[in-house]
Amino acid sequence: MTNTISPIPAGRKRGDTALLLTAVSLLLYLCSLVQAAESSALQDEAALDPANILYLEQNWDEEDRQWFYHLNQGSGLVSYDLFIRLEQHDSEELLRAPLNMMRFGFLPGVKSAQNPDALAIGLARDGAYMGLTCAACHTQHIRHKGKLVRIDGGQAMLDLPRFLEHLEKSLSATMNDDEKLARLGTRFHAAGPDEEEFLELKNLLDTEYAQISDNNRRNHSSVPYGYTRLDAFGAILNKGLAATGVADNFNEPDAPTSFPYLWDTPQHDYVEWNGSQSNSDIGALARNVGEVIGVFGRVETTPATWLYFYDAGYPSSVHARNLRAVEKKVSELQSPLWPDFFPAIDQQQAGQGRRLYERYCLSCHQDIDRTDPGRQIKVRMSSLGEIGTDPVMAENVLQMRGETGIFEGKPRFYFVGSIMGAEEPALFVANNLMGGVLRNNPLQSLLAIRDAKAMGHPDMIHPPKYLDGEILEAGEEVSDRALLAYKARPLNGIWAGAPYLHNGSVPNLYELLLPAAARSETFYIGSWEYDPVKVGYVDRPEPGAFLLDTSLPGNSNAGHEYGTGGDGLASLSEAEVWALLEYLKTL
């Protein structure tokens, strides 16, 4: 997948003066984009020096964050030894070189006992493999007045499909270029590989290329994701269908969503954009098991047997103990506060904004104390009809189907649930995989239930759920009605959450407070530069920037028109919009 580039200036509407650009200026602009196609505004050498990074107070220290950045969760993307030696497809420089990894949105890491090769943040070793960690998608950088700010648990400026595309290209180029192959051989064996070692290296390249190219083929989407977004549900469901043993059994993952920020996530009663997973009982561990499966965790689908008769579920690479540990560490994370070197908040204007917040926002986005270790969050789900935002992500989770293959005749949740036929929703196969992995980790599963109780979550698998302001009836929590909805959460730290809506279709908070018709139909994302006025990233066509087009399926910026007249209340005046925006900075 490549970045989509357009000559339309950021934030302009179709049909406006942007279309009157002269042919000469258009040609010059396109030429400059071609020259800069493989560069990126994210390639900032200042970010290579840890001394240049500022941290906000989020209740983590340096040891906490470094542990989080490189905690092995069982992801096995590619051979570790191969990855640390692999060249870029069009250069002799290593693919993992920090400046190169930054153009995909990865942040530079530091050398440590946990990260001996100074891999980018979000990468970790799992035995013979290199894989992803939670930090890859949930560690944020912003830049203002030349200062670089790290926000732990924030939305990463990551374009994972683009990185995977370049990984595939690098493997292919090395396989087909004798000079690249020879250089790789000397990186493995200083004196050069002998004949047997050379054949082993070629076989390794063949194996890794086949796996990466097959993954990219299965997860290719006609809707480009760009920075800050991924169709994680689509990838997880396709991973489940790949395990069925049925060839070409997948769906197009065409509903990219923003990487949500992590603070307060363990305190929620329900998580995921569609509220599909509760944090009660085994829910948090099951959710994290699914995440690892989606990011290249390895699962053996032949059940293990203990003591000759006990069905021990599916052996896997998933490190359930580490997943429990990271859930606990995230529960200690606090949302970031507006930095003191940003423009000072107008407290009088923010006070006016608070009154507007109580009228238009508080019924969905509850107040919490960000520092209260006992905080509990009951999210409010809004049905697709009420919220009016793009429905594709919520619909895909229910509508994606596939052949069940080796899972035919098995219960949906491994031991319980409906028996699967020859074709079922892809979600059912993923549920079986997750259930089998949990079965293989009985101690960690029991401890996860204990963890949920310690967090104050109800002692039930599906606690009451609030949909459109009403509590669903018992048993309705997992119905289609409950999943065709999107979640509202407390807005502490929302100033760091751009771009907005579940699909990242609105560039800044200012536009989110406008009627949908007044929002940018296209905008650029791909710079760390922060706009403290409109509250979001700067919107400009920098080198490597991605143009998000809201006219594409799944990218609609419609809906969430509270305070704009679309909710039946009077529209906010321009002054009121700015007052509400000023208040949101204080959260």
Side-chain angles (χ1 to χ4, degrees), residues 7-238:
I8 301 175
R12 297 291 180 87
K13 310 296 187 297
R14 294 180 182 84
D16 69 9
T17 55
L19 298 180
L20 300 179
L21 289 171
T22 65
V24 173
S25 63
L26 183 59
L27 179 61
L28 291 174
Y29 179 70
L30 289 174
C31 288
S32 71
L33 290 177
V34 171
Q35 294 172 352
E38 289 303 310
S39 66
S40 171
L42 301 177
Q43 292 172 304
D44 186 347
E45 292 190 8
L48 300 176
D49 185 353
N52 293 329
I53 309 301
L54 302 176
Y55 295 91
L56 303 181
E57 176 50 55
Q58 295 185 257
N59 202 40
W60 278 5
D61 59 21
E62 182 64 12
E63 183 178 352
D64 292 331
R65 61 177 61 98
Q66 292 299 332
W67 175 86
F68 174 75
Y69 293 164
H70 304 288
L71 179 68
N72 172 22
Q73 59 179 358
S75 168
L77 170 61
V78 66
S79 161
Y80 185 93
D81 289 338
L82 177 58
F83 178 73
I84 64 172
R85 295 170 172 84
L86 188 65
E87 291 180 357
Q88 299 170 33
H89 72 278
D90 55 356
S91 167
E92 293 184 24
E93 292 292 317
L94 294 180
L95 177 64
R96 69 181 178 98
L99 276 176
N100 184 58
M101 293 295 285
M102 268 196 275
R103 66 176 164 151
F104 309 120
F106 284 100
L107 302 175
V110 297
K111 187 175 182 178
S112 66
Q114 192 177 4
N115 186 30
D117 294 296
L119 297 183
I121 289 172
L123 302 182
R125 183 167 194 163
D126 180 29
Y129 292 93
M130 185 281 290
L132 299 172
T133 78
C134 299
C137 302
H138 302 288
T139 307
Q140 185 176 11
H141 248 90
I142 59 176
R143 180 174 53 213
H144 182 61
K145 292 185 176 180
K147 296 182 179 180
L148 289 170
V149 181
R150 176 76 50 80
I151 301 177
D152 289 315
Q155 183 179 22
M157 184 69 74
L158 180 66
D159 187 342
L160 184 59
R162 188 180 179 211
F163 166 68
L164 295 176
E165 175 195 322
H166 278 251
L167 175 58
E168 179 183 350
K169 287 181 177 179
S170 294
L171 292 168
S172 177
T174 304
M175 293 166 60
N176 295 290
D177 185 319
D178 291 341
E179 293 183 359
K180 278 187 174 293
L181 189 57
R183 288 193 295 271
L184 180 65
T186 57
R187 291 191 183 102
F188 271 93
H189 309 280
D194 59 29
E195 184 176 352
E196 182 177 352
E197 291 168 336
F198 185 72
L199 288 175
E200 289 178 354
L201 181 56
K202 291 193 69 175
N203 288 336
L204 178 62
L205 280 167
D206 288 343
T207 298
E208 298 300 319
Y209 173 76
Q211 292 177 348
I212 297 299
S213 61
D214 183 62
N215 171 81
N216 290 351
R217 179 180 65 89
R218 287 174 176 271
N219 289 302
H220 174 72
S221 174
S222 58
V223 178
Y225 298 175
Y227 296 108
T228 74
R229 305 196 309 165
L230 184 70
D231 189 343
F233 261 104
I236 293 170
L237 297 184
N238 277 343

Side-chain angles (χ1 to χ4, degrees), residues 127-434:
Y129 292 93
M130 185 281 290
L132 299 172
T133 78
C134 299
C137 302
H138 302 288
T139 307
Q140 185 176 11
H141 248 90
I142 59 176
R143 180 174 53 213
H144 182 61
K145 292 185 176 180
K147 296 182 179 180
L148 289 170
V149 181
R150 176 76 50 80
I151 301 177
D152 289 315
Q155 183 179 22
M157 184 69 74
L158 180 66
D159 187 342
L160 184 59
R162 188 180 179 211
F163 166 68
L164 295 176
E165 175 195 322
H166 278 251
L167 175 58
E168 179 183 350
K169 287 181 177 179
S170 294
L171 292 168
S172 177
T174 304
M175 293 166 60
N176 295 290
D177 185 319
D178 291 341
E179 293 183 359
K180 278 187 174 293
L181 189 57
R183 288 193 295 271
L184 180 65
T186 57
R187 291 191 183 102
F188 271 93
H189 309 280
D194 59 29
E195 184 176 352
E196 182 177 352
E197 291 168 336
F198 185 72
L199 288 175
E200 289 178 354
L201 181 56
K202 291 193 69 175
N203 288 336
L204 178 62
L205 280 167
D206 288 343
T207 298
E208 298 300 319
Y209 173 76
Q211 292 177 348
I212 297 299
S213 61
D214 183 62
N215 171 81
N216 290 351
R217 179 180 65 89
R218 287 174 176 271
N219 289 302
H220 174 72
S221 174
S222 58
V223 178
Y225 298 175
Y227 296 108
T228 74
R229 305 196 309 165
L230 184 70
D231 189 343
F233 261 104
I236 293 170
L237 297 184
N238 277 343
K239 187 66 177 289
L241 293 179
T244 63
V246 179
D248 293 332
N249 193 23
F250 59 89
N251 296 275
E252 180 183 350
D254 57 358
T257 60
S258 293
F259 302 124
Y261 45 76
L262 290 187
W263 47 85
D264 306 323
T265 297
Q267 286 83 8
H268 284 67
D269 54 356
Y270 283 91
V271 293
E272 310 296 2
W273 285 114
N274 64 345
S276 58
Q277 187 67 58
S278 86
N279 271 333
S280 296
D281 200 81
I282 197 68
L285 182 58
R287 159 173 52 88
N288 288 321
V289 165
E291 177 264 329
V292 178
I293 291 174
V295 292
F296 313 103
R298 303 174 301 284
V299 180
E300 297 178 23
T301 53
T302 300
T305 302
W306 296 345
L307 300 176
Y308 302 102
F309 67 89
Y310 180 80
D311 184 332
Y314 301 139
S316 73
S317 65
V318 175
H319 295 293
R321 181 178 181 179
N322 284 358
L323 295 182
R324 285 185 49 246
V326 78
E327 187 77 4
K328 184 178 186 302
K329 183 58 61 181
V330 171
S331 74
E332 300 169 1
L333 184 67
Q334 296 173 1
S335 56
L337 295 176
W338 186 258
D340 57 12
F341 65 89
F342 277 20
I345 295 173
D346 184 327
Q347 295 299 331
Q348 182 177 357
Q349 189 180 33
Q352 298 169 359
R354 170 63 191 184
R355 292 189 288 274
L356 296 168
Y357 184 85
E358 291 172 353
R359 181 181 183 188
Y360 292 103
C361 312
L362 191 57
S363 61
C364 292
H365 303 286
Q366 71 182 83
D367 285 332
I368 66 166
D369 178 354
R370 59 184 281 277
T371 66
D372 179 7
R375 60 192 182 276
Q376 292 290 314
I377 300 168
K378 295 186 180 299
V379 300
R380 183 187 189 278
M381 303 301 300
S382 295
S383 62
L384 299 182
E386 178 179 279
I387 191 72
T389 53
D390 192 290
V392 177
M393 179 269 173
E395 292 173 345
N396 275 5
V397 173
L398 294 175
Q399 295 175 1
M400 285 183 167
R401 299 180 65 85
E403 296 181 58
T404 57
I406 64 172
F407 297 98
E408 184 177 356
K410 295 184 177 181
R412 174 180 175 182
F413 298 104
Y414 194 76
F415 267 140
V416 298
S418 59
I419 301 300
M420 288 188 278
E423 181 181 304
E424 296 286 356
L427 181 62
F428 289 14
V429 177
N431 290 155
N432 182 277
L433 275 181
M434 293 159 63

